[in-house]
Amino acid sequence: MTYNMPHNKPFFFSSPYGGGNGFYITEENLWQAAAIFSVRRLIKPTWQNDRDQFLQPTEPLSDEFKSDCLLWMLFNGSNLSASADNLEWNGKQWSIVNHFIPFTEAEVGANDRFESDFMVEYLSDKILSVEAQALLDAGRTLWQAYFAHTDVRSVRDELKLNRADVGWYQIRNALKKRNASGDFLPVDFSGFEAVYKALGDKLRPQVYTLGFLR
C-alpha cells in the first residue's frame, strides 16, 4: 500500500503512486500513516485556517488514539484501496491485492478466499474504543451487503470487481450504484455515516490538544 499527499491532502492507494511525495505503508509505520492521514483530513480547511501548519505532536499518542485514527482512515472516502486482476500495463498483466480488509471471509460471507489477512492480524491484539468498534461493526454490515448479491456486468467491469478481496473504494461505490439502479433492495448508509461522524467528532478536538495544530 502507498500513502500520497498531493497538495497536503493525503490519499491512500492500493499500489505505488508516483509524484515523489508519498511513501510505502508497512506494518511498522501503519499507525503513523493513519495518524497523519486522519489529522490532516479531520480539520476542514476554511479561509481562517487554511494557512495553519501541521506540526509534530507535543503530547504522547495513546494506543486508543492510534486505533481510532486507523479505523477512521480505513473507512474514509479518500481511502482508494481496491483489488483487481487482469490489469494491463507496459505489455504485461498485473494483479492488485487488497491488504486492508479488516474482516475475515466468514464474517462477511465472501464468495472466495482473501489473499491477505494483514489487517485482521494487525487488529487482532488491538483494544478498540466504543466509537471505533461501532464503526467496525457498521462497516462489516456494508461488506456483508456487498457479498449478498452480484453486481451487473457493467458495474463489475467499471469497478474491476473480479476478486473477492475488494477494497473500501469498490464496496461503497458498488453499493451506491445498486441503490441508484433500483434493481436491489436499497442499502441504508445512515447508520454507518452516524458512527463514522461520531468517531470523527471524538478525534477532531484531539488534533489540537495533542499539538498537531496550535
Side-chain angles (χ1 to χ4, degrees), residues 124-136:
S124 63
D125 62 350
K126 305 294 186 294
I127 299 175
L128 300 183
S129 66
V130 172
E131 296 84 357
Q133 186 63 55
L135 177 57
L136 187 65

Side-chain angles (χ1 to χ4, degrees), residues 85-115:
D85 280 334
N86 305 318
L87 297 176
E88 294 186 7
W89 180 76
N90 201 24
K92 296 182 180 180
Q93 287 200 334
W94 304 81
S95 293
I96 296 177
V97 178
N98 178 21
H99 297 278
F100 276 40
I101 304 177
F103 312 112
T104 66
E105 300 93 334
E107 284 183 274
V108 297
N111 53 10
D112 203 351
R113 293 286 303 274
F114 298 154
E115 189 166 334

Side-chain angles (χ1 to χ4, degrees), residues 24-94:
Y24 286 98
I25 297 175
T26 67
E27 183 174 1
E28 288 70 32
N29 68 14
L30 175 57
W31 70 269
Q32 294 166 307
I36 295 170
F37 180 100
S38 297
V39 299
R40 284 181 174 270
R41 286 202 161 269
L42 280 161
I43 307 301
K44 300 298 184 183
T46 68
W47 67 270
Q48 293 175 308
N49 68 11
D50 66 348
R51 297 300 179 187
D52 291 351
Q53 297 297 308
F54 286 92
L55 305 168
Q56 291 185 349
T58 55
E59 301 294 330
L61 306 185
S62 67
D63 288 341
E64 181 173 305
F65 176 81
K66 295 175 185 177
S67 296
D68 282 351
C69 285
L70 176 59
L71 267 294
W72 195 85
M73 178 183 76
L74 287 177
F75 292 100
N76 186 268
S78 290
N79 173 349
L80 306 181
S81 59
S83 69
D85 280 334
N86 305 318
L87 297 176
E88 294 186 7
W89 180 76
N90 201 24
K92 296 182 180 180
Q93 287 200 334
W94 304 81

